Every structure is written in C-alpha cells, then in structure tokens.
Amino acid sequence: MASLPSILQALFLVPLTLLPIINPVGVAPIVIDAAGGDDRVLKRLSRQVAINGWVVIMASMLVGTYVLDLFGISLPVVRVAGGMLVAYSAWVMLTRHEEADEVHTAIAEDASADLSEAEIVRRSFFPITFPLTTGPGCIAAAIALGAQFPRQPLPYVMGAGIAAIGAAITAAIIYLTFRNGGRLLMRLGEVGTTVMMRLMAFVLLCIGIQILWTGWADLNRMAV
C-alpha cells in the first residue's frame, strides 16, 4: 500500500507539472474577450474551459500514448502543429484592426446574455481550451505523466484515480484564475484591456513560435 507522502506527491505532481505550461494568467485576457465583457458569460465560460481542460488532460494521460502510436504521430509533430495553431491565433489577435475590435465587442455585448449552454461549449473549446490553455506542451506533458502509470490493473486504477484528482485541482485553479483574473482585468477599462490584449497576443505569438521551434528541433534530431 502506498504511503501518504507518496500519495500526496503523486497528487500534486499533475498541477505542479502542468500549471506552469498552461499559464492561465496569460490566457485570462482572451477569455474576457470571448465573454464580451459580460460577467455572467465569463463565469460560465471559465467553468466550461476548466471542464474542457480536465477532459483534455485526462484523455492525454490515459489514452494519449496509444492514440499517437495508432496513427504513427510523434510528440515533436504534435508540438509543431500546436505551435502553428497558437502562433496563428496570436497573430489574428495582434493584427486585428481597432474598428474590428469595436464591432466585435459591440456584437459580443449584445449577444452575450442570450448565449445558450451549447454556444458556450462551442466557443470555449477552440481556441481557448485548445491550443491556448491545454495546448501541445500541456498535452505532451500529460502524455508523459500517463506513461508513468503502472501497467498492473489495480495500481493503474489507483494511479489514474490520483491523477484525476490532480487534474481536478488543476482545472479548479484554471477556473478561479479565469473567473477572478477576468474581473480584475475588466476593471482596467476599454483602453487598458486593449493594451493588455495586444501585449498578451505578442507573448502568445512568442510562445507559439517557441513550441514550433522546439518541435522542429526535435524532428531534426530524430532525422539525424
């Protein structure tokens, strides 16, 4: 039977490994933009992104290695594709005209209160959950964590259960960050939010290029 310290270590391994990669503080301005400045939509959207993130993390840990092996896809390829998605999303945010921002905000504010749960789910997955929150770096790390599960049935179930709780802690932190960080950023006003959005878009562009470069470097090493 595993000791309490080893159980606690395994429990907090998931959030301590994934949260620095996820960086929910950096994604919070994008969640605000998608919510259209409506606090009720922000709450629902934050909750749905946290749920989506938990599902992606668990799927990556439990079946990620098997899916990649089935299709013959390597982790460096996942990093390259995910880095391209992150960089593209950041570029669109960075180069969007101010007039388009005003139209987007006005439409979002008019329609946000009437969004159905199905619409919230649709908007929450791409690009907020993937690739901006649980992106290729997070998926690769989750797959690596899942590869460490014991292969015996009972230890595997125990390890997966502890990992599920750790993933739930991660999702809860994502929710709290998006929910409360979003409220704080909303107080910055229109100008402050626009400046923050442009800054974070540039940071996300750099992150996307870094992920892409890491995957490309890994592919080159594999080819040698």
Side-chain angles (χ1 to χ4, degrees):
M1 197 71 178
S3 62
L4 180 60
S6 63
I7 292 176
L8 292 176
Q9 181 180 7
L11 177 64
F12 289 103
L13 179 63
V14 175
L16 290 177
T17 301
L18 300 183
L19 283 174
I21 302 173
I22 293 172
N23 186 22
V25 175
V27 187
I30 303 167
V31 180
I32 297 172
D33 185 58
D38 188 288
D39 189 66
R40 289 176 298 172
V41 175
L42 177 63
K43 179 180 180 180
R44 295 159 63 195
L45 190 61
S46 301
R47 180 188 64 198
Q48 189 59 51
V49 172
I51 294 172
N52 292 347
W54 185 86
V55 172
V56 171
I57 292 171
M58 288 306 302
S60 300
M61 286 194 293
L62 295 179
V63 301
T65 53
Y66 304 107
V67 172
L68 293 183
D69 290 341
L70 178 63
F71 291 98
I73 301 173
S74 64
L75 285 179
V77 172
V78 175
R79 293 191 181 99
V80 169
M84 292 174 64
L85 284 174
V86 172
Y88 172 75
S89 300
W91 181 256
V92 170
M93 291 170 53
L94 193 61
T95 58
R96 191 167 57 195
H97 295 300
E98 197 161 323
E99 294 82 2
D101 283 344
E102 293 175 359
V103 173
H104 175 82
T105 302
I107 293 174
E109 288 177 350
D110 290 341
S112 59
D114 298 326
L115 288 178
S116 64
E117 286 297 326
E119 184 68 13
I120 290 290
V121 171
R122 186 187 67 81
R123 291 190 179 191
S124 68
F125 188 77
F126 181 84
I128 300 176
T129 300
F130 182 85
L132 296 180
T133 303
T134 51
C138 175
I139 290 175
I143 291 174
L145 291 173
Q148 300 176 16
F149 290 167
R151 298 296 100 182
Q152 296 80 11
L154 183 58
Y156 179 86
V157 171
M158 291 182 59
I162 294 174
I165 299 174
I169 295 173
T170 305
I173 294 174
I174 291 173
Y175 170 77
L176 292 174
T177 303
F178 286 171
R179 176 65 174 143
N180 298 302
R183 285 176 171 174
L184 177 62
L185 289 172
M186 282 180 181
R187 295 178 182 176
L188 294 175
E190 182 178 349
V191 175
T193 301
T194 300
V195 172
M196 182 64 69
M197 286 291 297
R198 291 294 189 267
L199 177 62
M200 295 314 303
F202 178 73
V203 172
L204 284 172
L205 178 63
C206 296
I207 292 173
I209 294 175
Q210 179 63 53
I211 295 172
L212 173 62
W213 179 260
T214 301
W216 181 257
D218 290 342
L219 286 175
N220 286 335
R221 282 194 291 269
M222 291 171 60
V224 174

